[in-house]
Amino acid sequence: MMNHSQPTVRMKPDKQLDCNLSQDDGVWMMASSFIIFTMTAGFGLLESGRVSAKDEVNCMVKNVFDVIFGGLAYWMFGYGLTFGDSKHQFGRYFGFGDFFFDPERVSDDDSTDEKGISYSLFIFQMSFATTTSTIVSAGMSERIHLKSHCFISFFITIVHSVAGHWVWDQEGIFRTMGVVDSAGCSAVHLVGGISGLVATLYLTPRRNRFAKNGIRTVSDPTKAILGFLMIWWGWLAFNTSSNYAVTHGQWTEGMRSAVGTILASAGGGVVTVVITRMATKKIQMDMLIDGMLASLVASTGGCLYFTPWQATLVGAIGSSLALAAYPVTEWLKIDDPVGVFPVHVVGSIWGMIAPAIFVKRRQMNFGPPECNYQANEEANGLLYGGGFQLLFLQTFVVFVIATYSAICSFIILFLIHHSPIGLRVDKYDEELGADLIEHGLAGVNVMAYTLEKKLDTKTLSSVLMIIVRWRAKAKLGAIRRKQVHDSGLVSPKPTENVEMNVIHRRH
């Protein structure tokens, strides 16, 4: 049953219709996959730059492991669970077959073009799956064994793959209901964000994170910002190529997504700069990154449908909501080193709700008329007379996928924690740092920063007064010592000695 929510993608197309994806479509997906995989480097730089210097290498290694073990899980089971055969009793909930993906073995009679499309779709969706496990790794930074992280990456990819079937496969339960999710807002960001939130809650905060005199350190803000820029670049491919095709005029839909993505980040960026400047009197590095990432996450739900002004507004609202979540995480004492909760939980929830407000029925370039997925009247958002039907559907999808992700991630963490593998590092190893314990790297990173606490007027005046008094007393002491030296006395007079002792005690 055709619906408006996703573009035409036929892995086993009707031979009578010219709906097949072609060589150009496969090249488009493959090139986009390569760009999306560069986001792994961006995630690694972002995470390692925002944790303490004793754990930055370990964060980079974990991002490598996400691709290794997440990619292995997707090849073994993930692709089959998402795009496998749906012609069975539970086909609306998960695919079956195509495990240990190999088009040469599964479809010997298919054309070369169809096999090529299968290969390109696999590598494209694998880049999405490994992104999900990378989000989870960010929430567990500095607190988890590297060996346990391997298993978490593997199983979180499986969790993502089942949710992907619901919203991406033609027989998936939510897709047949008409859900609007252009680029994996629910299957990637919501699954990753909820799983990462559950992980950081299960692991408990880092040592002294919320202590009375505790401080928060970052290893390299420059590295974190560079990582964000790489993610920003990759996001354009992430959203733009999610319609899978450029033939039959479908390239225009991809370009529409590109404009919506970049304008959402621009709108979110302006709001982020204003909020962080007003709240802290500075442009805080972590707030700038998280605010703009939240705007990008918010764009993924409806980037195929948003007009430029809608995308800008959606991104601005997404950033505002994410930054508003900052004091909530501190109040609840949620130790979230890289902003998984504000970016991927808050941002993705808004990203799924936004289409229910802004989507408007229009003619879309998804190939010949026989292949089009056209929106019906009920698919329109609240602003265009669509009523609450789409809003209820989008909210229901958020609730179901969030609940499913939370339960699955908790079970995974619980089983690993109570297995011989173990989960959380002990306090001694956490203090020494994973770079030393896991990788044998000892040394001092001179590029370590301490995040500055906000100074109020009273505190600033006290600091300045202490500095002025210290300089005056130091000058008086120097004069006294010079007088003693010029008089030729071996030791100061008793009265002078008493005076110097008083000054020293005050200092």
Side-chain angles (χ1 to χ4, degrees), residues 268-426:
V270 170
V271 170
T272 299
V273 170
V274 172
I275 291 177
T276 184
R277 186 69 180 179
M278 292 178 61
T280 67
K281 308 302 181 184
K282 297 177 177 64
I283 306 299
Q284 296 283 4
M285 173 270 300
D286 52 349
M287 295 180 69
L288 176 65
I289 292 174
D290 289 346
M292 294 196 66
L293 284 178
S295 67
L296 289 166
V297 172
S299 73
T300 57
C303 59
L304 271 172
Y305 304 92
F306 293 147
T307 61
W309 76 266
Q310 290 174 342
T312 306
L313 182 60
V314 167
I317 296 174
S319 296
S320 303
L321 295 174
L323 295 181
Y326 258 75
V328 176
T329 58
E330 292 293 317
W331 179 62
L332 296 175
K333 294 185 177 181
I334 299 175
D335 187 8
D336 188 3
V338 195
V340 168
F341 175 72
V343 173
H344 297 285
V345 176
V346 176
S348 62
I349 292 175
W350 166 241
M352 288 295 291
I353 299 300
I357 300 173
F358 295 105
V359 163
K360 181 181 179 181
R361 182 184 181 184
R362 66 181 178 87
Q363 186 75 18
M364 303 187 75
N365 295 322
F366 288 154
E370 297 87 352
C371 303
N372 280 0
Y373 288 167
Q374 295 300 327
N376 51 35
E377 291 296 339
E378 290 77 19
N380 287 345
L382 289 174
L383 295 181
Y384 300 97
F388 291 93
Q389 180 177 345
L390 186 58
L391 179 61
F392 289 151
L393 174 61
Q394 297 291 109
T395 305
F396 177 70
V397 171
V398 169
F399 173 77
V400 171
I401 292 183
T403 304
Y404 158 77
S405 303
I407 293 174
C408 290
S409 57
F410 176 80
I411 293 174
I412 293 169
L413 293 167
F414 181 84
L415 293 177
I416 295 176
H417 181 206
H418 292 85
S419 71
I421 300 171
L423 186 64
R424 202 191 197 285
V425 299
D426 57 40

Side-chain angles (χ1 to χ4, degrees), residues 14 28 48 53 57 60 82 85 94 107 126 143 158 205 213 225 296 311 342 346 352 360 378 454 470 485 490 497 499:
D14 187 341
W28 167 245
S48 62
V57 176
M60 292 295 290
T82 304
D85 182 22
F94 60 88
S107 54
M126 177 182 163
R143 287 164 289 175
I158 304 299
N213 297 321
I225 295 173
L296 289 166
V346 176
M352 288 295 291
K360 181 181 179 181
E378 290 77 19
K454 184 179 178 182
W470 174 79
H485 181 270
V490 177
N497 193 27
E499 184 178 0

Side-chain angles (χ1 to χ4, degrees), residues 10-41:
R10 300 174 184 268
M11 295 312 299
K12 296 180 179 178
D14 187 341
K15 302 297 183 182
Q16 303 301 318
L17 294 177
D18 186 18
C19 299
N20 300 27
L21 296 176
S22 69
Q23 173 184 331
D24 293 341
D25 301 320
V27 172
W28 167 245
M29 281 192 286
M30 188 64 69
S32 298
S33 303
F34 298 158
I35 297 174
I36 294 171
F37 270 115
T38 64
M39 296 175 73
T40 301

Side-chain angles (χ1 to χ4, degrees), residues 54-55 207-208 425-434:
K54 57 185 171 54
D55 290 285
R207 188 171 181 268
N208 294 328
V425 299
D426 57 40
K427 294 182 178 180
Y428 178 72
D429 288 348
E430 182 180 342
E431 186 174 359
L432 292 177

Side-chain angles (χ1 to χ4, degrees), residues 86-282:
S86 301
K87 306 300 183 182
H88 57 88
Q89 184 177 359
F90 301 102
R92 300 182 69 189
Y93 304 102
F94 60 88
F96 189 83
D98 287 346
F99 299 133
F100 297 90
F101 172 78
D102 184 1
E104 303 294 339
R105 169 176 54 84
V106 176
S107 54
D108 292 334
D109 297 332
D110 291 338
S111 66
T112 302
D113 284 349
E114 190 170 343
K115 292 178 182 178
I117 291 298
S118 297
Y119 280 122
S120 59
L121 180 63
F122 171 81
I123 195 68
F124 181 74
Q125 289 294 338
M126 177 182 163
S127 66
F128 276 48
T130 56
T131 298
T132 305
S133 59
T134 299
I135 296 171
V136 180
S137 72
M140 303 183 294
S141 297
E142 302 194 73
R143 287 164 289 175
I144 189 172
H145 292 293
L146 191 59
K147 57 184 178 182
S148 53
H149 180 80
C150 302
F151 290 92
I152 292 173
S153 295
F154 186 94
F155 290 112
I156 287 296
T157 301
I158 304 299
V159 174
H160 154 87
S161 300
V162 174
H165 178 82
W166 300 344
V167 296
W168 287 331
D169 189 80
Q170 291 180 348
E171 304 298 331
I173 181 172
F174 292 142
R175 180 164 178 180
T176 56
M177 293 171 65
V179 66
V180 178
D181 187 359
S182 301
C185 186
S186 59
V188 178
H189 300 289
L190 186 59
V191 172
I194 293 295
S195 300
L197 176 61
V198 171
T200 193
L201 291 174
Y202 188 90
L203 292 170
T204 68
R206 290 167 291 178
R207 188 171 181 268
N208 294 328
R209 171 63 177 85
F210 294 106
K212 183 177 181 181
N213 297 321
I215 60 173
R216 180 183 165 207
T217 62
V218 295
S219 61
D220 194 342
T222 303
K223 187 190 298 182
I225 295 173
L226 175 60
F228 159 70
L229 292 173
M230 294 183 69
I231 296 172
W232 196 0
W233 142 267
W235 220 293
L236 289 170
F238 196 97
N239 282 3
T240 303
S241 57
S242 291
N243 68 326
Y244 299 145
V246 291
T247 55
H248 300 303
Q250 295 182 78
W251 65 271
T252 59
E253 302 301 334
M255 300 308 102
R256 182 188 184 97
S257 296
V259 172
T261 302
I262 199 68
L263 287 180
S265 62
V270 170
V271 170
T272 299
V273 170
V274 172
I275 291 177
T276 184
R277 186 69 180 179
M278 292 178 61
T280 67
K281 308 302 181 184
K282 297 177 177 64

